[in-house]
Amino acid sequence: MAPAEQHHLTGRGRAAIEAFLYDRGADGMPHPGGTLLAHLGRVQGLLADWGADAVVQTAGLCHATYGTDGFAPALLPLSDRATLVALIGERAEALVHLYASCDRGAVYPRIDGSTEFAFRDRFTGRETYPPADRLRAFLDITAANELDVLAHNTELAERYGPGLHALLTRAGTLLSPQPARP
């Protein structure tokens, strides 16, 4: 891991990321469980509890920066990816972008535990085959995000809980061991 990417979640690095999220209005965006900023912190915390490395935790903390297929508001336009790269490093930003670009309607049904499936980018419509380590990080962030949302919204939990359980079960060994037990 590059030195700039080793300590994102400690000291000044964590403070700088939180200041960025705050400056972009994440503390004022409603989200299940309070605000988007609170949700982002809980997602990072779940990833930490599951033993994810600092790069994945950082991506989890910033996962909604470009908006998502399920949460439209963006904190930063895609045209300004360099800003996030400078803050969190290339590897973490690439995971944030992968997460944000997921066309859930196309990708989720393809998740079956294999390390090769077409990943459709909702921004471009392009399909790629990300490597297994990036898919694992994507799925871990997905699990942490969705489990946090469902933990804070009973209606969503009743409606989407069974589908999330099926998705995480289908992910099989591609998902890290901790989130595989929702």
Side-chain angles (χ1 to χ4, degrees):
M1 188 180 316
E5 295 182 352
Q6 286 180 355
H7 303 290
H8 290 305
L9 303 180
T10 59
R12 292 182 309 175
R14 171 72 185 235
I17 294 168
E18 289 176 345
F20 165 82
L21 295 169
Y22 182 84
D23 288 347
R24 297 289 189 264
D27 66 315
M29 290 183 180
H31 198 279
T35 65
L36 177 61
L37 185 61
H39 165 71
L40 295 171
R42 290 190 306 265
V43 167
Q44 182 273 318
L46 275 173
L47 292 165
D49 289 348
W50 296 340
D53 68 29
V55 171
V56 175
Q57 288 182 49
T58 299
L61 183 59
C62 298
H63 75 270
T65 299
Y66 306 126
T68 71
D69 197 1
F71 188 75
L75 303 176
L76 191 68
L78 279 176
S79 60
D80 201 7
R81 288 180 65 186
T83 297
L84 194 59
V85 169
L87 179 65
I88 67 173
E90 288 181 20
R91 289 178 53 220
E93 188 279 335
L95 291 175
V96 170
H97 183 265
L98 181 69
Y99 184 84
S101 72
C102 178
D103 179 340
R104 293 177 182 182
V107 173
Y108 284 10
R110 297 174 181 172
I111 295 172
D112 64 0
S114 70
T115 58
E116 284 206 19
F117 58 86
F119 190 98
R120 182 178 297 155
D121 183 316
R122 72 184 178 102
F123 301 124
T124 67
R126 228 176 106 222
E127 294 195 350
T128 60
Y129 291 83
D133 62 325
R134 290 190 63 207
L135 290 175
R136 172 168 278 118
F138 164 78
L139 286 168
D140 289 352
I141 294 166
T142 297
N145 173 68
E146 298 300 338
L147 289 171
D148 181 71
V149 167
L150 299 187
H152 290 92
N153 187 307
T154 304
E155 179 187 334
L156 292 177
E158 289 172 3
R159 187 179 328 158
Y160 298 112
L164 176 62
H165 184 269
L167 173 68
L168 298 182
T169 299
R170 283 194 327 270
T173 58
L174 191 52
L175 190 62
S176 293
Q178 283 293 80
R181 295 184 289 265

